[in-house]
Amino acid sequence: MSLLEVDRIDSFYGDSHILFGLDMRVERNEVVALLGRNGAGKTTTLNSLMGVVRPRSGTVTFDGEAIQGRPPYQIARAGMQLVPEERRIIGALTVHENLKLAALTAPEAWSFDRIYDTFPRLAERRRSGGQDLSGGEQQMLAIARALIRNPKLILLDEPFEGLAPLIVKDLVRICGELAAAGQTFVVVEQNVAAALALATRCYVINNGHNVYEGTPGELRANKEVMSRYLGV
Ligand code: ATP
Protein backbone atom coordinates (compact mmCIF):
# COMPACT_ATOMS: atom_id res chain seq x y z
CA MET A 1 0.00 0.00 0.00
CA SER A 2 1.18 3.53 -0.83
CA LEU A 3 2.19 5.84 2.02
CA LEU A 4 -0.44 8.35 0.86
CA GLU A 5 -3.47 7.71 -1.32
CA VAL A 6 -5.73 10.59 -2.24
CA ASP A 7 -8.94 9.51 -3.90
CA ARG A 8 -11.23 12.01 -5.64
CA ILE A 9 -11.13 14.85 -3.12
CA ASP A 10 -13.20 18.00 -3.52
CA SER A 11 -12.17 21.04 -1.46
CA PHE A 12 -13.80 24.42 -1.03
CA TYR A 13 -13.18 27.82 0.56
CA GLY A 14 -16.71 28.76 1.59
CA ASP A 15 -18.73 28.44 -1.61
CA SER A 16 -15.66 28.51 -3.90
CA HIS A 17 -15.00 25.07 -5.30
CA ILE A 18 -11.19 24.76 -5.59
CA LEU A 19 -10.23 21.07 -5.97
CA PHE A 20 -12.27 18.84 -8.28
CA GLY A 21 -12.01 15.09 -7.74
CA LEU A 22 -8.25 15.23 -7.24
CA ASP A 23 -6.35 11.94 -7.09
CA MET A 24 -2.74 11.41 -6.15
CA ARG A 25 -0.50 8.88 -4.49
CA VAL A 26 2.87 8.99 -2.82
CA GLU A 27 5.00 5.90 -2.29
CA ARG A 28 7.52 5.58 0.53
CA ASN A 29 10.89 7.19 -0.37
CA GLU A 30 9.43 9.21 -3.23
CA VAL A 31 9.80 12.93 -3.80
CA VAL A 32 6.60 14.02 -5.52
CA ALA A 33 6.46 17.50 -7.05
CA LEU A 34 3.12 19.31 -7.44
CA LEU A 35 3.44 21.87 -10.20
CA GLY A 36 1.07 24.36 -11.79
CA ARG A 37 0.45 28.04 -12.33
CA ASN A 38 -0.45 30.55 -9.61
CA GLY A 39 -3.85 29.76 -8.18
CA ALA A 40 -3.96 26.24 -9.67
CA GLY A 41 -4.73 24.70 -6.26
CA LYS A 42 -1.34 23.40 -5.10
CA THR A 43 -1.39 24.97 -1.63
CA THR A 44 -5.03 23.95 -1.25
CA THR A 45 -3.97 20.37 -2.01
CA LEU A 46 -1.30 20.43 0.73
CA ASN A 47 -3.77 22.03 3.13
CA SER A 48 -6.33 19.33 2.29
CA LEU A 49 -3.78 16.60 3.11
CA MET A 50 -2.79 18.25 6.39
CA GLY A 51 -6.39 18.89 7.51
CA VAL A 52 -6.04 22.69 7.40
CA VAL A 53 -8.79 22.49 4.75
CA ARG A 54 -11.23 19.61 5.19
CA PRO A 55 -12.11 17.98 1.87
CA ARG A 56 -15.90 17.88 1.44
CA SER A 57 -15.76 14.53 -0.33
CA GLY A 58 -13.26 11.86 -1.23
CA THR A 59 -10.73 10.04 0.92
CA VAL A 60 -7.17 10.60 2.10
CA THR A 61 -5.45 7.44 3.33
CA PHE A 62 -2.14 7.94 5.12
CA ASP A 63 -0.08 4.92 6.15
CA GLY A 64 -3.24 2.80 6.03
CA GLU A 65 -5.46 5.18 8.03
CA ALA A 66 -8.33 7.30 6.66
CA ILE A 67 -7.41 10.81 7.82
CA GLN A 68 -9.79 13.06 5.86
CA GLY A 69 -11.82 15.26 8.24
CA ARG A 70 -9.30 14.93 11.08
CA PRO A 71 -7.77 18.08 12.63
CA PRO A 72 -4.17 18.99 11.71
CA TYR A 73 -2.70 18.06 15.12
CA GLN A 74 -3.98 14.48 14.73
CA ILE A 75 -2.61 14.26 11.20
CA ALA A 76 0.74 15.58 12.49
CA ARG A 77 0.67 12.91 15.17
CA ALA A 78 0.11 10.28 12.47
CA GLY A 79 3.44 11.40 10.91
CA MET A 80 2.76 14.20 8.41
CA GLN A 81 4.45 17.61 8.67
CA LEU A 82 3.64 20.72 6.64
CA VAL A 83 6.34 23.36 6.07
CA PRO A 84 4.15 26.31 5.06
CA GLU A 85 5.19 28.94 2.53
CA GLU A 86 5.40 31.63 5.22
CA ARG A 87 7.68 29.37 7.34
CA ARG A 88 6.26 30.53 10.71
CA ILE A 89 9.57 30.65 12.58
CA ILE A 90 9.12 32.00 16.11
CA GLY A 91 11.18 35.19 15.90
CA ALA A 92 11.48 35.73 19.64
CA LEU A 93 13.07 32.30 20.18
CA THR A 94 16.56 31.18 19.17
CA VAL A 95 17.19 28.56 16.46
CA HIS A 96 17.80 25.97 19.18
CA GLU A 97 14.64 26.91 21.08
CA ASN A 98 12.56 26.69 17.88
CA LEU A 99 13.89 23.16 17.36
CA LYS A 100 13.41 22.19 21.00
CA LEU A 101 9.79 23.31 20.91
CA ALA A 102 9.11 21.29 17.75
CA ALA A 103 10.68 18.16 19.26
CA LEU A 104 8.84 18.47 22.57
CA THR A 105 5.82 16.30 21.79
CA ALA A 106 7.44 13.98 19.21
CA PRO A 107 7.71 10.40 20.50
CA GLU A 108 10.80 9.58 18.42
CA ALA A 109 12.46 12.94 17.87
CA TRP A 110 15.83 13.22 16.13
CA SER A 111 18.76 14.23 18.33
CA PHE A 112 19.93 17.85 18.01
CA ASP A 113 23.34 16.53 16.87
CA ARG A 114 21.73 14.74 13.94
CA ILE A 115 19.79 17.86 12.95
CA TYR A 116 22.91 20.05 13.22
CA ASP A 117 24.94 17.53 11.19
CA THR A 118 22.29 17.81 8.47
CA PHE A 119 22.17 21.62 8.66
CA PRO A 120 25.66 22.83 9.71
CA ARG A 121 24.57 26.43 9.10
CA LEU A 122 21.92 26.05 11.82
CA ALA A 123 24.58 24.75 14.22
CA GLU A 124 26.54 27.97 13.63
CA ARG A 125 23.38 30.02 14.19
CA ARG A 126 21.93 28.01 17.07
CA ARG A 127 22.00 30.93 19.53
CA SER A 128 20.65 33.49 17.03
CA GLY A 129 17.10 34.75 17.31
CA GLY A 130 14.61 33.53 14.71
CA GLN A 131 14.04 37.13 13.61
CA ASP A 132 17.77 37.57 12.81
CA LEU A 133 18.00 34.74 10.26
CA SER A 134 18.32 35.22 6.51
CA GLY A 135 15.57 33.83 4.27
CA GLY A 136 17.64 30.74 3.47
CA GLU A 137 18.41 30.11 7.14
CA GLN A 138 14.73 30.52 8.02
CA GLN A 139 13.81 27.95 5.38
CA MET A 140 16.45 25.54 6.72
CA LEU A 141 15.04 25.99 10.21
CA ALA A 142 11.47 25.46 8.96
CA ILE A 143 12.51 22.16 7.33
CA ALA A 144 14.65 21.15 10.33
CA ARG A 145 11.73 21.81 12.66
CA ALA A 146 9.58 19.39 10.64
CA LEU A 147 12.38 16.83 10.35
CA ILE A 148 13.21 16.72 14.06
CA ARG A 149 9.80 15.11 14.65
CA ASN A 150 10.88 12.17 12.46
CA PRO A 151 7.85 12.38 10.16
CA LYS A 152 6.88 9.78 7.57
CA LEU A 153 6.01 12.55 5.11
CA ILE A 154 7.06 16.20 4.80
CA LEU A 155 4.99 18.62 2.69
CA LEU A 156 7.08 21.57 1.45
CA ASP A 157 5.12 24.60 0.18
CA GLU A 158 7.30 26.73 -2.12
CA PRO A 159 10.51 26.11 -0.14
CA PHE A 160 12.71 27.97 -2.64
CA GLU A 161 10.58 31.07 -3.08
CA GLY A 162 12.47 34.36 -2.75
CA LEU A 163 15.86 32.68 -2.18
CA ALA A 164 19.07 33.37 -4.10
CA PRO A 165 20.08 30.69 -6.64
CA LEU A 166 23.08 29.53 -4.58
CA ILE A 167 20.90 29.05 -1.51
CA VAL A 168 18.33 27.16 -3.59
CA LYS A 169 21.12 24.90 -4.86
CA ASP A 170 22.23 24.20 -1.29
CA LEU A 171 18.67 23.43 -0.13
CA VAL A 172 18.06 21.14 -3.14
CA ARG A 173 21.26 19.28 -2.22
CA ILE A 174 20.25 18.89 1.46
CA CYS A 175 16.71 17.76 0.56
CA GLY A 176 18.19 15.37 -2.03
CA GLU A 177 20.44 13.84 0.64
CA LEU A 178 17.49 13.47 3.01
CA ALA A 179 15.49 11.80 0.23
CA ALA A 180 18.40 9.46 -0.55
CA ALA A 181 18.40 8.52 3.15
CA GLY A 182 14.72 7.58 2.87
CA GLN A 183 12.73 10.74 3.69
CA THR A 184 9.52 11.09 1.67
CA PHE A 185 8.52 14.56 0.45
CA VAL A 186 5.76 16.29 -1.46
CA VAL A 187 7.04 19.59 -2.82
CA VAL A 188 5.00 22.44 -4.29
CA GLU A 189 7.13 24.83 -6.34
CA GLN A 190 6.96 27.59 -8.94
CA ASN A 191 10.66 26.96 -9.58
CA VAL A 192 10.09 24.06 -11.98
CA ALA A 193 13.80 23.38 -12.58
CA ALA A 194 14.57 23.07 -8.86
CA ALA A 195 11.48 20.93 -8.22
CA LEU A 196 12.30 18.59 -11.10
CA ALA A 197 15.92 18.31 -9.91
CA LEU A 198 14.60 16.91 -6.65
CA ALA A 199 11.50 14.96 -7.70
CA THR A 200 11.17 11.31 -8.63
CA ARG A 201 7.61 11.85 -9.93
CA CYS A 202 5.41 14.84 -10.57
CA TYR A 203 1.82 15.94 -10.98
CA VAL A 204 0.61 19.03 -12.78
CA ILE A 205 -2.49 20.70 -11.38
CA ASN A 206 -4.63 23.14 -13.34
CA ASN A 207 -7.84 24.79 -12.10
CA GLY A 208 -8.09 22.25 -9.27
CA HIS A 209 -7.80 19.27 -11.64
CA ASN A 210 -4.93 16.86 -11.90
CA VAL A 211 -3.96 17.15 -15.59
CA TYR A 212 -0.65 15.27 -15.82
CA GLU A 213 1.41 12.65 -14.04
CA GLY A 214 4.88 11.47 -15.02
CA THR A 215 8.55 11.35 -14.18
CA PRO A 216 10.64 14.55 -14.37
CA GLY A 217 12.24 13.24 -17.59
CA GLU A 218 8.84 12.59 -19.19
CA LEU A 219 7.55 16.02 -18.16
CA ARG A 220 10.64 17.85 -19.44
CA ALA A 221 10.20 16.09 -22.80
CA ASN A 222 6.50 17.00 -22.97
CA LYS A 223 6.73 20.50 -24.47
CA GLU A 224 2.96 20.86 -24.69
CA VAL A 225 2.33 20.29 -20.96
CA MET A 226 5.38 22.38 -20.04
CA SER A 227 4.20 25.40 -22.01
CA ARG A 228 0.43 25.04 -21.56
CA TYR A 229 0.32 24.51 -17.78
CA LEU A 230 3.71 25.68 -16.52
CA GLY A 231 4.52 28.51 -18.90
CA VAL A 232 8.03 27.11 -19.44
P1 ATP B 1 0.01 29.96 -5.55
O1 ATP B 1 1.28 29.60 -6.20
O2 ATP B 1 -0.51 31.28 -6.01
O3 ATP B 1 -0.02 29.78 -4.07
P2 ATP B 1 -1.63 27.60 -5.70
O4 ATP B 1 -1.61 26.66 -6.86
O5 ATP B 1 -0.97 27.16 -4.46
O6 ATP B 1 -1.05 28.97 -6.20
P3 ATP B 1 -3.96 27.93 -4.09
O7 ATP B 1 -3.29 28.83 -3.10
O8 ATP B 1 -4.25 26.55 -3.69
O9 ATP B 1 -3.15 27.93 -5.44
O10 ATP B 1 -5.30 28.65 -4.56
C1 ATP B 1 -6.27 28.04 -5.39
C2 ATP B 1 -7.46 28.97 -5.55
O11 ATP B 1 -8.09 29.16 -4.28
C3 ATP B 1 -7.10 30.36 -6.04
O12 ATP B 1 -8.10 30.76 -6.95
C4 ATP B 1 -7.14 31.22 -4.79
O13 ATP B 1 -7.51 32.53 -5.12
C5 ATP B 1 -8.19 30.53 -3.97
N1 ATP B 1 -7.95 30.68 -2.52
C6 ATP B 1 -6.81 30.39 -1.88
N2 ATP B 1 -6.94 30.60 -0.54
C7 ATP B 1 -8.20 31.05 -0.36
C8 ATP B 1 -8.96 31.43 0.80
N3 ATP B 1 -8.44 31.40 2.03
N4 ATP B 1 -10.23 31.85 0.59
C9 ATP B 1 -10.78 31.86 -0.64
N5 ATP B 1 -10.12 31.49 -1.77
C10 ATP B 1 -8.85 31.10 -1.63
Side-chain angles (χ1 to χ4, degrees):
M1 177 180 278
S2 305
L3 178 59
L4 180 76
E5 287 179 18
V6 178
D7 192 23
R8 300 187 57 78
I9 56 166
D10 282 76
S11 293
F12 293 72
Y13 290 112
D15 290 336
S16 304
H17 195 167
I18 308 293
L19 298 184
F20 297 84
L22 196 98
D23 288 328
M24 69 182 270
R25 75 188 153 82
V26 179
E27 307 295 343
R28 285 171 182 79
N29 299 355
E30 273 196 310
V31 178
V32 171
L34 294 186
L35 305 170
R37 291 181 189 272
N38 279 336
K42 304 178 299 295
T43 296
T44 308
T45 302
L46 296 189
N47 285 340
S48 299
L49 303 180
M50 197 64 216
V52 178
V53 171
R54 294 186 183 197
R56 226 176 258 182
S57 60
T59 58
V60 181
T61 310
F62 180 55
D63 204 18
E65 279 180 77
I67 59 163
Q68 73 279 356
R70 289 197 196 168
Y73 77 91
Q74 280 187 14
I75 295 176
R77 205 181 281 160
M80 196 186 296
Q81 284 288 307
L82 172 65
V83 179
E85 193 175 350
E86 63 277 16
R87 299 169 190 147
R88 299 200 199 131
I89 301 304
I90 303 175
L93 299 183
T94 64
V95 164
H96 196 72
E97 288 165 342
N98 269 278
L99 289 169
K100 215 166 157 182
L101 191 63
L104 212 55
T105 55
E108 291 173 44
W110 281 32
S111 69
F112 293 109
D113 283 350
R114 192 171 167 203
I115 285 288
Y116 288 135
D117 282 348
T118 307
F119 296 96
R121 183 70 191 150
L122 293 181
E124 289 166 24
R125 300 287 268 149
R126 57 188 287 165
R127 288 183 192 83
S128 302
Q131 76 271 19
D132 298 327
L133 302 179
S134 69
E137 290 166 346
Q138 277 185 24
Q139 190 58 58
M140 283 178 195
L141 179 54
I143 296 172
R145 212 172 42 174
L147 197 61
I148 202 167
R149 298 181 57 83
N150 196 27
K152 295 172 189 147
L153 175 63
I154 297 181
L155 312 175
L156 299 175
D157 197 353
E158 307 231 10
F160 310 132
E161 203 202 1
L163 303 180
L166 270 179
I167 314 272
V168 170
K169 205 173 155 201
D170 205 30
L171 272 173
V172 167
R173 181 186 54 76
I174 294 172
C175 291
E177 285 169 5
L178 290 167
Q183 179 63 52
T184 309
F185 289 101
V186 173
V187 55
V188 159
E189 250 309 322
Q190 294 288 341
N191 182 337
V192 175
L196 292 186
L198 199 56
T200 50
R201 205 156 52 77
C202 40
Y203 291 98
V204 177
I205 297 177
N206 190 54
N207 289 331
H209 295 85
N210 201 334
V211 292
Y212 180 84
E213 181 199 342
T215 64
E218 288 163 351
L219 177 59
R220 276 191 210 98
N222 193 327
K223 302 293 177 226
E224 201 219 321
V225 170
M226 289 288 273
S227 75
R228 184 158 167 204
Y229 299 118
L230 303 176
V232 179

